[in-house]
Amino acid sequence: MGCSVNSKPVILTHGDLDGMTSAIMLLRRLPPETRVIITNGQKLLSELDKIAAASDVPPDIFIADIPLVARYVDRVESAIRRLVEQESRVHLYDHHLCWQDAALCERFRSACTTLVVDAGKTTAAALVWKHYLKTARDAQHWLQMLSEKNASADPTIRLHFGILAALMQPQHWKMTASTLKALAHEKPLSEEQNKMAEWYYEEHLPRERAIVDSAEVITTAAGRRIAWLDLRDEKQHFSVSKAAIEKHGAELAATVIRSGVLLGGASIDEGLDLTFLHGRHEHDGIGFNVVGHKSPVKFVPLEGDVTDEFVQAIRSFVFKALLS
């Protein structure tokens, strides 16, 4: 089954700052009717299956900033090959550690029209900018925003960061695709879209700073200072690691969220290399997987929810694991 001439390109991207910035960069060169789907490594397979099952597949599918989950690798590859058989071109841009596996790269290189992967890069957006936009100067603003965030002296960067930071919150998800397109094509934003930045700076950011101030600082036997924050009762997503580390003079931040425990430094893949923790573990009778980047890594329960017992087991495990 071939794709219709009128099929729309599709972007599958992560809903964090890097993923949304990658989408904005891609959208700058794609037609306005391009579909944007926010997803993640757990849901990538189902999204690809939905696209493949449609009556007409898109001519181009762009996958950005979405890691391959180990247990889904074979099925994701099969889904991509099915789409290629239906005359769709798949373009993949990613920086997660899974791509350090040369054999995996070769498998997907033979399936994808474009495979730009580099686990040494800190953002997928940087890969999109370099390889898709060919280092276009008109898109450097977005890389600058990723770097400076809300600390920028540029009011436009602060505005755009505030908007994207607000889009990470559930109450604003419905506006994600339309807002990313408006930003990419430099179209006027609606009053509701502009107010998202105001909400971020006046409501969300003060709460984030209060959380940072309340962090518990623990010290391991090796003298490592860890800012420990439990956000399970929070209804919004907070990016507090960097601020907590700077505020409390810590080396690492541990953030307890509803799906696991994140442990890492102030910036992705920088600072202490925690890849030695990757894999399956058991501690104090609790089984868990450690996945993610060089930093942060994520502790995920093998069974059940993130309970107090699970959190305590991870805390004890971290104390013993970081002895040097």
Side-chain angles (χ1 to χ4, degrees):
M1 178 178 67
C3 63
S4 164
V5 173
N6 295 320
S7 292
K8 305 172 184 178
V10 172
I11 297 172
L12 297 167
T13 193
H14 194 207
D16 65 2
L17 289 171
D18 188 17
M20 288 190 287
T21 303
S22 297
I24 288 171
M25 289 188 167
L26 291 167
L27 286 165
R28 291 180 70 84
R29 299 293 188 270
L30 291 172
E33 63 269 18
T34 299
R35 290 175 59 206
V36 178
I37 300 172
I38 301 298
T39 187
N40 55 43
Q42 299 290 339
K43 299 177 181 178
L44 175 62
L45 175 62
S46 63
E47 294 295 348
L48 291 172
D49 284 342
K50 288 177 189 176
I51 294 171
S55 58
D56 59 344
V57 299
D60 292 280
I61 300 168
F62 296 84
I63 303 171
D65 192 37
I66 301 177
L68 288 179
V69 176
R71 66 179 179 274
Y72 296 144
V73 165
D74 292 343
R75 293 166 66 189
V76 168
E77 181 188 3
S78 295
I80 289 176
R81 292 189 183 280
R82 179 184 173 189
L83 285 161
V84 171
E85 290 173 359
Q86 294 172 281
E87 300 181 16
S88 188
R89 296 177 292 269
V90 178
H91 313 270
L92 194 154
Y93 299 85
D94 193 52
H95 67 124
H96 292 92
L97 285 175
C98 57
W99 297 109
Q100 289 184 337
D101 186 330
L104 182 66
C105 289
E106 286 307 309
R107 285 172 57 182
F108 278 80
R109 197 177 305 280
S110 67
C112 298
T113 299
T114 306
L115 184 73
V116 177
V117 294
D118 186 348
K121 290 292 184 182
T122 57
T123 66
L127 296 175
V128 172
W129 176 71
K130 180 178 180 180
H131 296 275
Y132 182 71
L133 296 183
K134 309 300 182 185
T135 65
R137 295 182 65 182
D138 66 346
Q140 285 180 313
H141 164 87
W142 296 104
L143 292 180
Q144 187 179 351
M145 185 216 66
L146 268 182
S147 174
E148 298 179 3
K149 300 182 173 65
N150 59 24
S152 178
D154 184 331
T156 303
I157 286 179
R158 281 180 54 81
L159 171 66
H160 288 165
F161 175 82
I163 291 171
L164 295 189
L167 286 174
M168 294 172 64
Q169 307 307 321
Q171 66 266 40
H172 296 134
W173 285 349
K174 67 181 185 301
M175 293 191 288
T176 300
S178 61
T179 304
L180 296 182
K181 289 183 179 184
L183 292 171
H185 298 297
E186 300 179 356
K187 301 293 185 182
L189 297 175
S190 69
E191 181 180 358
E192 187 179 12
Q193 288 171 323
N194 275 313
K195 281 186 175 180
M196 286 193 294
E198 180 181 326
W199 171 86
Y200 169 76
Y201 286 110
E202 294 185 2
E203 296 185 35
H204 188 81
L205 187 57
R207 176 58 186 155
E208 195 167 90
R209 287 169 175 164
I211 291 171
V212 167
D213 290 343
S214 67
E216 177 188 4
V217 179
I218 59 178
T219 305
T220 69
R224 297 192 186 281
R225 287 170 58 85
I226 302 174
W228 191 277
L229 306 104
D230 192 331
L231 305 184
R232 283 177 290 172
D233 291 336
E234 299 291 339
K235 295 181 179 179
Q236 298 173 18
H237 170 81
F238 292 96
S239 299
V240 293
S241 294
K242 182 177 181 179
I245 287 171
E246 293 175 351
K247 172 77 176 182
H248 299 286
E251 182 178 4
L252 297 166
T255 308
V256 185
I257 56 178
R258 295 178 185 178
S259 59
V261 179
L262 294 167
L263 177 70
S267 300
I268 189 170
D269 285 335
E270 294 182 1
L272 184 64
D273 186 345
L274 299 174
T275 52
F276 71 95
L277 297 176
H278 284 188
R280 184 168 178 164
H281 303 273
E282 182 174 331
H283 188 74
D284 291 344
I286 303 291
F288 54 91
N289 274 321
V290 182
V291 298
H293 301 268
K294 167 184 172 182
S295 171
V297 295
K298 185 176 184 179
F299 299 81
V300 183
L302 291 179
E303 298 180 0
D305 299 324
V306 176
T307 62
D308 290 343
E309 292 76 14
F310 170 81
V311 173
Q312 185 56 43
I314 299 306
R315 184 163 167 151
S316 174
F317 176 82
V318 169
F319 261 76
K320 293 183 177 180
L322 300 181
L323 291 176
S324 60

